[in-house]
Short mmCIF file of all heavy atoms in Angstrom, two decimals:
data_model
loop_
_atom_site.label_atom_id
_atom_site.label_comp_id
_atom_site.label_asym_id
_atom_site.label_seq_id
_atom_site.Cartn_x
_atom_site.Cartn_y
_atom_site.Cartn_z
N LEU A 93 4.00 -10.54 -2.46
CA LEU A 93 5.04 -9.85 -1.70
C LEU A 93 4.86 -9.98 -0.17
O LEU A 93 5.81 -10.27 0.56
CB LEU A 93 5.01 -8.37 -2.12
CG LEU A 93 5.78 -7.35 -1.32
CD1 LEU A 93 7.28 -7.61 -1.42
CD2 LEU A 93 5.48 -5.94 -1.86
N PHE A 94 3.64 -9.76 0.29
CA PHE A 94 3.42 -9.68 1.75
C PHE A 94 3.62 -11.05 2.41
O PHE A 94 3.08 -12.06 1.97
CB PHE A 94 2.02 -9.13 2.05
CG PHE A 94 1.91 -7.66 1.77
CD1 PHE A 94 1.87 -7.17 0.47
CD2 PHE A 94 1.89 -6.74 2.82
CE1 PHE A 94 1.81 -5.81 0.22
CE2 PHE A 94 1.82 -5.37 2.57
CZ PHE A 94 1.77 -4.90 1.27
N GLY A 95 4.42 -11.06 3.46
CA GLY A 95 4.69 -12.30 4.18
C GLY A 95 5.86 -13.09 3.63
O GLY A 95 6.23 -14.11 4.20
N ARG A 96 6.44 -12.62 2.52
CA ARG A 96 7.57 -13.36 1.94
C ARG A 96 8.89 -12.89 2.49
O ARG A 96 9.08 -11.72 2.82
CB ARG A 96 7.59 -13.17 0.41
CG ARG A 96 6.34 -13.64 -0.29
CD ARG A 96 6.26 -15.13 -0.43
NE ARG A 96 7.19 -15.64 -1.42
CZ ARG A 96 6.93 -15.68 -2.72
NH1 ARG A 96 5.80 -15.22 -3.20
NH2 ARG A 96 7.81 -16.18 -3.55
N GLN A 97 9.82 -13.83 2.57
CA GLN A 97 11.21 -13.53 2.89
C GLN A 97 11.79 -12.64 1.78
O GLN A 97 11.38 -12.75 0.63
CB GLN A 97 11.96 -14.87 2.98
CG GLN A 97 13.45 -14.78 3.14
CD GLN A 97 13.88 -14.36 4.54
OE1 GLN A 97 13.21 -14.70 5.51
NE2 GLN A 97 14.94 -13.60 4.63
N THR A 98 12.72 -11.76 2.13
CA THR A 98 13.38 -10.92 1.11
C THR A 98 13.99 -11.80 0.01
O THR A 98 14.34 -12.96 0.26
CB THR A 98 14.52 -10.11 1.74
OG1 THR A 98 15.34 -10.99 2.48
CG2 THR A 98 14.01 -9.00 2.63
N ALA A 99 14.12 -11.20 -1.17
CA ALA A 99 14.75 -11.87 -2.32
C ALA A 99 14.00 -13.14 -2.72
O ALA A 99 14.58 -14.21 -2.84
CB ALA A 99 16.23 -12.17 -2.03
N PHE A 100 12.69 -13.00 -2.94
CA PHE A 100 11.85 -14.18 -3.13
C PHE A 100 11.54 -14.54 -4.58
O PHE A 100 11.07 -15.63 -4.86
CB PHE A 100 10.53 -14.02 -2.36
CG PHE A 100 9.70 -12.84 -2.82
CD1 PHE A 100 8.88 -12.93 -3.93
CD2 PHE A 100 9.76 -11.62 -2.14
CE1 PHE A 100 8.12 -11.85 -4.35
CE2 PHE A 100 9.01 -10.53 -2.55
CZ PHE A 100 8.19 -10.64 -3.67
N ALA A 101 11.77 -13.61 -5.52
CA ALA A 101 11.33 -13.87 -6.89
C ALA A 101 12.24 -14.88 -7.57
O ALA A 101 13.46 -14.74 -7.56
CB ALA A 101 11.29 -12.57 -7.69
N GLU A 102 11.61 -15.89 -8.18
CA GLU A 102 12.39 -16.91 -8.88
C GLU A 102 13.06 -16.33 -10.10
O GLU A 102 12.47 -15.54 -10.83
CB GLU A 102 11.48 -18.06 -9.31
CG GLU A 102 11.27 -19.07 -8.20
CD GLU A 102 10.29 -20.14 -8.62
OE1 GLU A 102 10.37 -20.59 -9.78
OE2 GLU A 102 9.45 -20.49 -7.78
N GLY A 103 14.29 -16.75 -10.34
CA GLY A 103 14.98 -16.37 -11.56
C GLY A 103 15.52 -14.96 -11.55
O GLY A 103 15.97 -14.47 -12.58
N PHE A 104 15.49 -14.29 -10.42
CA PHE A 104 16.03 -12.93 -10.35
C PHE A 104 17.35 -12.96 -9.58
O PHE A 104 17.46 -13.60 -8.55
CB PHE A 104 15.06 -11.97 -9.66
CG PHE A 104 15.49 -10.53 -9.76
CD1 PHE A 104 15.22 -9.78 -10.88
CD2 PHE A 104 16.22 -9.94 -8.72
CE1 PHE A 104 15.65 -8.45 -10.98
CE2 PHE A 104 16.65 -8.63 -8.81
CZ PHE A 104 16.36 -7.88 -9.95
N THR A 105 18.36 -12.25 -10.12
CA THR A 105 19.66 -12.21 -9.46
C THR A 105 19.72 -11.01 -8.53
O THR A 105 19.83 -9.87 -8.97
CB THR A 105 20.79 -12.10 -10.51
OG1 THR A 105 20.61 -13.15 -11.45
CG2 THR A 105 22.15 -12.25 -9.84
N TYR A 106 19.62 -11.27 -7.25
CA TYR A 106 19.59 -10.21 -6.23
C TYR A 106 20.99 -9.85 -5.78
O TYR A 106 21.93 -10.64 -5.90
CB TYR A 106 18.81 -10.70 -5.01
CG TYR A 106 17.31 -10.78 -5.19
CD1 TYR A 106 16.70 -11.96 -5.57
CD2 TYR A 106 16.52 -9.66 -4.97
CE1 TYR A 106 15.32 -12.04 -5.73
CE2 TYR A 106 15.14 -9.73 -5.10
CZ TYR A 106 14.55 -10.92 -5.49
OH TYR A 106 13.19 -10.98 -5.62
N SER A 107 21.10 -8.68 -5.19
CA SER A 107 22.34 -8.27 -4.54
C SER A 107 22.54 -9.13 -3.29
O SER A 107 21.57 -9.61 -2.70
CB SER A 107 22.24 -6.81 -4.11
OG SER A 107 21.24 -6.66 -3.12
N PRO A 108 23.80 -9.31 -2.87
CA PRO A 108 24.05 -10.00 -1.60
C PRO A 108 23.32 -9.31 -0.45
O PRO A 108 22.86 -9.98 0.49
CB PRO A 108 25.57 -9.91 -1.43
CG PRO A 108 26.10 -9.73 -2.82
CD PRO A 108 25.04 -8.96 -3.57
N ALA A 109 23.19 -7.99 -0.52
CA ALA A 109 22.54 -7.24 0.57
C ALA A 109 21.09 -7.70 0.76
O ALA A 109 20.65 -7.97 1.88
CB ALA A 109 22.58 -5.74 0.29
N LEU A 110 20.36 -7.80 -0.34
CA LEU A 110 18.95 -8.19 -0.23
C LEU A 110 18.83 -9.68 0.07
O LEU A 110 17.96 -10.11 0.83
CB LEU A 110 18.19 -7.80 -1.50
CG LEU A 110 16.67 -7.69 -1.35
CD1 LEU A 110 16.28 -6.74 -0.24
CD2 LEU A 110 16.05 -7.21 -2.65
N GLN A 111 19.73 -10.46 -0.53
CA GLN A 111 19.73 -11.90 -0.28
C GLN A 111 20.03 -12.22 1.18
O GLN A 111 19.48 -13.17 1.74
CB GLN A 111 20.80 -12.58 -1.13
CG GLN A 111 20.20 -13.40 -2.23
CD GLN A 111 21.26 -13.85 -3.22
OE1 GLN A 111 22.37 -13.32 -3.25
NE2 GLN A 111 20.91 -14.80 -4.02
N GLY A 112 20.90 -11.42 1.78
CA GLY A 112 21.31 -11.69 3.16
C GLY A 112 20.41 -11.05 4.20
O GLY A 112 20.58 -11.30 5.39
N ALA A 113 19.47 -10.23 3.76
CA ALA A 113 18.57 -9.57 4.73
C ALA A 113 17.65 -10.62 5.32
O ALA A 113 17.11 -11.45 4.60
CB ALA A 113 17.77 -8.48 4.03
N ASN A 114 17.47 -10.57 6.61
CA ASN A 114 16.75 -11.64 7.26
C ASN A 114 15.43 -11.15 7.86
O ASN A 114 15.29 -11.03 9.07
CB ASN A 114 17.63 -12.28 8.33
CG ASN A 114 17.03 -13.57 8.84
OD1 ASN A 114 16.23 -14.19 8.15
ND2 ASN A 114 17.40 -13.95 10.06
N PHE A 115 14.46 -10.85 6.99
CA PHE A 115 13.13 -10.47 7.48
C PHE A 115 12.11 -10.79 6.41
O PHE A 115 12.47 -11.09 5.26
CB PHE A 115 13.09 -8.99 7.87
CG PHE A 115 13.32 -8.03 6.74
CD1 PHE A 115 12.27 -7.63 5.92
CD2 PHE A 115 14.58 -7.52 6.48
CE1 PHE A 115 12.48 -6.74 4.87
CE2 PHE A 115 14.80 -6.63 5.43
CZ PHE A 115 13.75 -6.25 4.64
N THR A 116 10.85 -10.74 6.78
CA THR A 116 9.78 -10.91 5.80
C THR A 116 9.13 -9.56 5.54
O THR A 116 9.12 -8.69 6.42
CB THR A 116 8.72 -11.92 6.28
OG1 THR A 116 8.23 -11.49 7.54
CG2 THR A 116 9.30 -13.32 6.42
N TRP A 117 8.58 -9.41 4.34
CA TRP A 117 7.98 -8.14 3.94
C TRP A 117 6.59 -7.98 4.56
O TRP A 117 5.73 -8.83 4.38
CB TRP A 117 7.86 -8.05 2.42
CG TRP A 117 9.17 -7.86 1.73
CD1 TRP A 117 9.78 -8.74 0.86
CD2 TRP A 117 10.02 -6.70 1.80
NE1 TRP A 117 10.96 -8.19 0.42
CE2 TRP A 117 11.14 -6.96 0.97
CE3 TRP A 117 9.96 -5.49 2.49
CZ2 TRP A 117 12.18 -6.04 0.81
CZ3 TRP A 117 10.99 -4.58 2.33
CH2 TRP A 117 12.08 -4.85 1.50
N ASP A 118 6.41 -6.89 5.28
CA ASP A 118 5.07 -6.47 5.72
C ASP A 118 4.96 -4.96 5.50
O ASP A 118 5.91 -4.34 4.98
CB ASP A 118 4.82 -6.87 7.18
CG ASP A 118 5.80 -6.23 8.14
OD1 ASP A 118 6.51 -5.28 7.76
OD2 ASP A 118 5.84 -6.68 9.31
N ALA A 119 3.85 -4.39 5.89
CA ALA A 119 3.64 -2.97 5.59
C ALA A 119 4.73 -2.10 6.22
O ALA A 119 5.25 -1.18 5.56
CB ALA A 119 2.25 -2.55 6.09
N ALA A 120 5.11 -2.39 7.45
CA ALA A 120 6.08 -1.54 8.13
C ALA A 120 7.47 -1.64 7.48
O ALA A 120 8.16 -0.63 7.29
CB ALA A 120 6.16 -1.93 9.61
N GLN A 121 7.88 -2.86 7.11
CA GLN A 121 9.18 -3.02 6.46
C GLN A 121 9.18 -2.36 5.08
O GLN A 121 10.16 -1.73 4.68
CB GLN A 121 9.53 -4.51 6.31
CG GLN A 121 9.73 -5.22 7.62
CD GLN A 121 11.06 -4.87 8.30
OE1 GLN A 121 11.62 -3.79 8.09
NE2 GLN A 121 11.55 -5.76 9.12
#
Side-chain angles (χ1 to χ4, degrees):
L93 168 66
F94 287 73
R96 300 283 288 276
Q97 173 74 34
T98 50
F100 62 82
E102 275 176 41
F104 188 83
T105 308
Y106 286 94
S107 65
L110 201 54
Q111 251 169 344
N114 192 22
F115 63 85
T116 56
W117 288 115
D118 61 14
Q121 295 286 26

